[in-house]
Amino acid sequence: MNLAMIVAYDQQRAIGHNGELPWARSLPADLANFKKLTTNSSVIMGRKTFESIGSRPLPNRENIVISSTPTGVKGTLTALNIPSALSLARYPVYFIGGSMIYAEALQYVETIYATEVNHSFDGADVFFPEIGREWQEVSREHHPADDSNAYDFDFVKYCKTTQK
Ligand SMILES: NC(=O)c1ccc[n+]([C@@H]2O[C@H](COP(=O)([O-])OP(=O)(O)OC[C@H]3O[C@@H](n4cnc5c(N)ncnc54)[C@H](OP(=O)(O)O)[C@@H]3O)[C@@H](O)[C@H]2O)c1
């Protein structure tokens, strides 16, 4: 099965602030890229990330929420841990956060799709872990800030190599 992770982080690897994205709604190009990559896939997320997207399933994706308590929300599946979530998934998998899920899922995935935001946000409270030397950057696409996107950012793809 195809296993990948998708994340956006700033120059300090910050991914969240008070249950939201640090850049709030000021990077629509990142949201569009997220939608394009994950549509028709299984997305696996932690319970707090599910709450951060409004406790509603993302449309056109199989939504699997990892939690000790079932969400009870139609259109979602709940799993107690990552192995159970993977056993439920029927489509290519994207782990979509948050920090707890990223840290645990790194061992399972072969690809990371990262949006690297060229800014440092104050007050962030959740972070993406440092990745090891087994991860190699395979592509990078730079996007300057524009009228819609408040910050410069890069779309970067990392793949896991066999070298440790
Ligand atoms: N920038 C990005 O790309 C990005 C992406 C996603 C999220 N975020 C941000 O990240 C923040 C949320 O992340 P977070 O790290 O605080 O929380 P999280 O990883 O989304 O969710 C944590 C919860 O998931 C469940 N969980 C995680 N690991 C588990 C395990 N091994 N076994 C059982 N349950 C497990 C637990 O739920 P229960 O307590 O219900 O048992 C835990 O409290 C928000 O600010 C959000 O905006 C950013």
Side-chain angles (χ1 to χ4, degrees):
M1 186 186 279
N2 224 349
L3 303 181
M5 183 174 277
I6 184 163
V7 60
Y9 49 78
D10 81 352
Q11 290 169 332
Q12 299 175 85
R13 305 183 81 76
I15 64 165
H17 170 62
N18 278 345
E20 292 194 350
L21 300 176
W23 39 91
R25 279 156 288 278
S26 46
L27 276 180
D30 177 52
L31 298 182
N33 184 57
F34 175 88
K35 185 176 175 188
K36 183 173 136 201
L37 282 174
T38 60
T39 291
N40 298 323
S41 297
S42 298
V43 290
I44 299 179
M45 70 196 94
R47 188 259 305 164
K48 292 184 185 173
T49 293
F50 180 62
E51 289 176 356
S52 80
I53 61 171
S55 299
R56 287 189 305 264
L58 294 168
N60 305 315
R61 281 149 279 195
E62 181 180 54
N63 287 248
I64 304 174
V65 181
I66 301 190
S67 174
S68 47
T69 314
T71 66
V73 176
K74 196 175 167 207
T76 67
L77 300 167
T78 307
L80 282 175
N81 49 43
I82 288 176
S84 332
L86 289 174
S87 70
L88 293 173
R90 292 177 296 158
Y91 307 105
V93 166
Y94 286 89
F95 289 97
I96 64 165
S99 62
M100 292 177 73
I101 298 303
Y102 288 139
E104 293 174 36
L106 267 177
Q107 61 183 301
Y108 295 95
V109 302
E110 299 299 323
T111 312
I112 301 172
Y113 295 96
T115 302
E116 299 187 347
V117 184
N118 296 337
H119 189 80
S120 193
F121 293 84
D122 289 335
D125 50 19
V126 276
F127 295 83
F128 189 70
E130 293 290 342
I131 55 175
R133 288 171 49 210
E134 69 276 22
W135 287 98
Q136 192 172 20
E137 180 179 317
V138 293
S139 65
R140 175 177 292 269
E141 202 181 283
H142 181 67
H143 294 261
D146 58 26
D147 288 348
S148 308
N149 296 280
Y151 309 99
D152 288 12
F153 61 92
D154 290 17
F155 288 138
V156 190
K157 182 177 175 181
Y158 294 94
C159 287
K160 201 184 260 171
T161 64
T162 46
Q163 174 206 329
K164 296 279 174 192

